[in-house]
Amino acid sequence: MINTSETLAVQTIENFLTPDETAQVTKIIDDHLATTGWVPARPSEGLTPPDAVQEILAGAIDRAMPVIRRAFPSADSVVPWLYHDLKPGDRIRSHVHGMGDPDERPVRLARVVFNLQDADSGGEFYLDTSACEELWTDRVAEADGVFEPGARFVHEITARSGPVSLDAIAATRWICHPPAGATLVYGAQLIHGVTPVTSGRARKLITDLCAGPGTRPEAPRPHSRPPHAPH
């Protein structure tokens, strides 16, 4: 059964991609951008990278799954990755995805973010932790679901909608500075965002980490469902 702590956990995987793999992914994406001319309409808009990138990242997830399952023991698979490209002035405001419909299968446990390129200044990913009770709904997991009975669920909150303004609550901010090649896995019920890019370019790859319908196979099944909204 899925415990609430899995949706609030944080795990890093150093050497998620090798330098050669990072270079391959960067080249494939750069070639794809040159061919398509894609430019994000807004900072949160993502692009689905080519299959060659998905395959490299799928292999990295396979290697990392034993480490991921230390903090997320229900982890089963990921969805197709999305590519995000932030320029000076871009930011991702604080938000929390929540669990959506906890009865939906598979369940999104967490998000996985890989920094393909750090901005020269700004563009840092952060997590906010808070004891604010207003973040939580009244819903409690029942005994017949995949969540541990009594598990609780946060509201889905954006910069523009939700029962509480995330800028108004008392919270502790954790700025993330993963080393080159590392990736970060963070629970779906954590507040997060990206600070404004002040110079350079922040390039990120993001996916959902999912749990199956109550059983965990021996190996993850990448690309098991369509991608959710970015970040």
Side-chain angles (χ1 to χ4, degrees), residues 31 40 67 185:
D31 289 347
V67 174
V185 189

Side-chain angles (χ1 to χ4, degrees), residues 50-133:
D51 289 345
V53 169
Q54 302 287 350
E55 290 303 317
I56 293 171
L57 296 171
I61 285 289
D62 284 348
R63 296 193 303 258
M65 192 58 77
V67 174
I68 291 172
R69 283 179 176 152
R70 294 174 190 165
F72 304 90
S74 301
D76 164 59
S77 59
V78 298
V79 305
W81 292 71
L82 291 176
Y83 167 75
H84 297 270
D85 199 328
L86 280 66
K87 61 183 184 301
D90 288 343
R91 64 179 294 192
I92 304 295
R93 296 181 181 275
S94 296
H95 61 286
V96 55
H97 291 290
M99 301 307 299
D101 180 358
D103 294 325
E104 181 185 357
R105 302 293 179 269
V107 176
R108 179 177 58 191
L109 283 178
R111 299 281 272 170
V112 186
V113 57
F114 178 81
N115 288 350
L116 189 64
Q117 177 180 329
D118 291 326
D120 296 334
S121 179
E124 299 163 314
F125 182 84
Y126 63 82
L127 296 164
D128 286 348
T129 53
S130 175
C132 177
E133 181 63 25

Side-chain angles (χ1 to χ4, degrees), residues 2-223:
I2 301 171
N3 188 286
T4 304
S5 62
E6 289 190 66
T7 67
L8 298 172
V10 179
Q11 175 71 63
T12 57
I13 301 99
E14 289 68 37
N15 303 310
F16 178 73
L17 291 185
T18 67
D20 284 347
E21 288 172 330
T22 301
Q24 289 179 55
V25 168
T26 302
K27 183 180 187 307
I28 295 167
I29 290 178
D30 284 347
D31 289 347
H32 187 63
L33 294 178
T35 299
T36 63
W38 179 81
V39 176
R42 58 188 183 282
S44 61
E45 183 179 20
L47 171 74
T48 302
D51 289 345
V53 169
Q54 302 287 350
E55 290 303 317
I56 293 171
L57 296 171
I61 285 289
D62 284 348
R63 296 193 303 258
M65 192 58 77
V67 174
I68 291 172
R69 283 179 176 152
R70 294 174 190 165
F72 304 90
S74 301
D76 164 59
S77 59
V78 298
V79 305
W81 292 71
L82 291 176
Y83 167 75
H84 297 270
D85 199 328
L86 280 66
K87 61 183 184 301
D90 288 343
R91 64 179 294 192
I92 304 295
R93 296 181 181 275
S94 296
H95 61 286
V96 55
H97 291 290
M99 301 307 299
D101 180 358
D103 294 325
E104 181 185 357
R105 302 293 179 269
V107 176
R108 179 177 58 191
L109 283 178
R111 299 281 272 170
V112 186
V113 57
F114 178 81
N115 288 350
L116 189 64
Q117 177 180 329
D118 291 326
D120 296 334
S121 179
E124 299 163 314
F125 182 84
Y126 63 82
L127 296 164
D128 286 348
T129 53
S130 175
C132 177
E133 181 63 25
E134 287 76 14
L135 293 172
W136 297 86
T137 70
D138 294 331
R139 179 168 184 169
V140 177
E142 303 293 339
D144 58 349
V146 297
F147 283 89
E148 184 177 82
R152 295 189 62 192
F153 307 100
V154 298
H155 291 284
E156 296 181 28
I157 305 171
T158 71
R160 298 178 179 83
S161 65
V164 62
S165 169
L166 295 177
D167 291 333
I169 66 170
T172 300
R173 178 153 297 181
W174 308 81
I175 300 289
C176 303
H177 295 286
T183 197
L184 173 73
V185 189
Y186 58 98
Q189 300 205 102
L190 286 170
I191 303 166
H192 59 284
V194 177
T195 65
V197 176
T198 53
S199 66
R201 186 181 180 192
R203 308 172 73 189
K204 302 174 185 293
L205 290 157
I206 301 176
T207 187
D208 287 343
L209 178 69
C210 301
T215 59
R216 194 186 74 193
E218 294 182 359
R221 298 188 306 270
H223 320 330

